[in-house]
Amino acid sequence: MQDRPRRLRRTPALRALTREVRLHPEQFIHPIFVHEQEGETPIATMPGVSRHSIAGAVQQARTALALGIPSVILFGIPDHKDALGTQAYADDGIIQRATRAIKAEVPGVTVITDTCLCEYTDHGHCGPLCEIPHVQGPDAWTVDNDPTLDLLARTAVSQARAGADVVAPSTMMDGMVGAIRAALDEAGFTHTPIMSYAVKYASAYYGPFRDAAGSTPSVGNRATYQMDPAGGHREALREARLDVQQGADTLMVKPALAYLDVLKVLRDEFDLPVIAYNVSGEYSLIKAAAQLGFMDERRTVLETLTSIRRAGADAIITYHALDAARWLREDHA
């Protein structure tokens, strides 16, 4: 036989020489949950992940940077929640204070702020609610789109004012990127990029995050504004295209693993950086299987992250970031 692909798999050096996909800590974004309490609170449904105080969030950012991870994304859990999510856009809100602290003490870290209201509303939805006439059941309540745009714009400006390097709107409101871009520009933050959660599905994989952030909806569901998992590629392209037209600087697909096909379609269609969110449920599945001895955690995590990169992600938001960075460092020591 002339054609023997196994020749190039014979040794670790040959396999490394011929790899198409590289995994590096610089491609990771480390998520940090920040609450207003002292110390940290472990999240039962996400083994190894905790809610952190502001001081703890600073230490998390410092650890990430030391491991070669240049970016973190912040999620806030305020003590006070209300129907309008006012703590999301308060100048002294938990994310604003955490951003200032991290930028002051770990200036080399890129701080991305989740620009949403679900962690701040007492009903768990991503904006003020309204009732849809003549609709019964859980879909009768939804987020009132246009009033939410103003609140998102105010949130983004307050986050940028606090020092956020990137704002990341995740509500799936129609027109959110355009409203945020206009508000940032008017406030003088023309240099602040928007990382749009452009293609975000109404997914069962968010369960542990909602436990962590206290954002489980108390009424209705998110299917009226997040995307249908069976919506297909056309809907994903439409959503992404609208965000590009409105000024998005990067696009995101969320979740990652169940939507690798969608990630590949966006990578092929657009020339913007594409981010994948390896979400809480995907993380917890591996952690639970590893704790039960069903799978090798290290190998499974690195293989999973490699698959996301292979599908086209330029960067990955992942709760595995710190562990994966340590393992990659050991592999290249």
Side-chain angles (χ1 to χ4, degrees):
M1 288 184 288
Q2 293 296 313
D3 194 353
R4 291 183 180 268
R6 288 181 55 186
R7 291 188 188 114
L8 297 178
R9 302 178 195 144
R10 187 168 50 84
T11 67
L14 283 171
R15 292 193 293 272
L17 182 67
T18 56
R19 283 181 187 134
E20 293 182 40
V21 179
R22 302 284 174 173
L23 196 61
H24 193 278
E26 288 182 348
Q27 298 152 350
F28 302 154
I29 299 170
H30 175 47
I32 305 174
F33 294 102
V34 192
H35 64 183
E36 305 203 53
Q37 311 304 311
E38 294 298 322
E40 66 177 53
T41 302
I43 299 164
T45 53
M46 299 178 68
V49 178
S50 297
R51 295 179 177 183
H52 296 275
S53 65
I54 290 177
V58 170
Q59 184 55 48
Q60 285 281 300
R62 186 177 288 117
T63 299
L65 190 61
L67 289 169
I69 302 167
S71 305
V72 300
I73 184 166
L74 305 183
F75 299 93
I77 302 100
D79 283 346
H80 171 73
K81 301 188 179 192
D82 55 42
L84 296 179
T86 55
Q87 284 300 300
Y89 41 90
D91 285 338
D92 62 348
I94 182 64
I95 285 300
Q96 287 78 0
R97 284 182 282 137
T99 299
R100 292 188 190 100
I102 292 172
K103 294 306 294 184
E105 298 192 41
V106 198
V109 164
T110 294
V111 173
I112 305 163
T113 48
D114 181 65
T115 306
C116 192
L117 304 177
C118 66
E119 299 110 291
Y120 305 90
T121 57
D122 54 12
H123 47 72
H125 280 282
C126 300
L129 295 179
C130 65
E131 193 169 6
I132 303 174
H134 313 302
V135 175
Q136 303 297 319
D139 287 346
W141 290 94
T142 190
V143 173
D144 199 352
N145 193 97
D146 293 4
T148 300
L149 298 182
D150 177 62
L151 301 183
L152 292 174
R154 291 171 64 181
T155 301
V157 170
S158 74
Q159 292 171 344
R161 189 178 294 121
D165 297 292
V166 181
V167 297
S170 59
T171 63
M172 290 301 291
M173 292 296 107
D174 294 339
M176 66 180 184
V177 172
I180 290 171
R181 183 74 273 158
L184 288 172
D185 290 353
E186 184 177 353
F189 295 105
T190 57
H191 59 281
T192 302
I194 297 174
M195 176 187 288
S196 175
Y197 286 62
V199 179
K200 180 180 177 181
Y201 289 89
S203 173
Y205 286 96
Y206 303 151
F209 177 95
R210 292 175 183 174
D211 180 35
S215 61
T216 301
S218 61
V219 62
N221 57 55
R222 293 191 173 95
T224 58
Y225 50 101
Q226 293 179 356
M227 293 170 59
D228 186 342
H233 295 164
R234 289 194 300 271
E235 184 181 22
L237 287 170
R238 182 186 185 198
E239 288 281 4
R241 192 172 292 115
L242 286 168
D243 283 5
V244 171
Q245 292 168 356
Q246 293 171 40
D249 296 284
T250 71
L251 302 171
M252 190 190 300
V253 175
K254 179 182 179 182
L257 291 181
Y259 301 92
L260 292 178
D261 60 318
V262 177
L263 178 60
K264 179 65 166 60
V265 167
L266 259 65
R267 174 68 288 150
D268 290 344
E269 182 71 19
F270 300 101
D271 57 7
L272 294 181
V274 177
I275 317 299
Y277 199 142
N278 179 214
V279 298
S280 60
E282 297 167 346
Y283 169 86
S284 294
L285 285 172
I286 293 177
K287 294 295 283 190
Q291 288 181 345
L292 290 169
F294 293 167
M295 301 179 76
D296 181 312
E297 181 179 359
R298 175 173 176 156
R299 288 187 62 194
T300 305
V301 168
L302 294 180
E303 182 177 343
T304 296
L305 297 177
T306 299
S307 77
I308 298 170
R309 284 276 294 134
R310 190 175 62 245
D314 296 290
I316 307 169
I317 301 173
T318 178
Y319 302 96
H320 297 292
L322 299 184
D323 284 338
R326 292 188 184 101
W327 294 329
L328 289 172
R329 174 174 288 185
E330 291 170 5
D331 288 346
H332 292 92

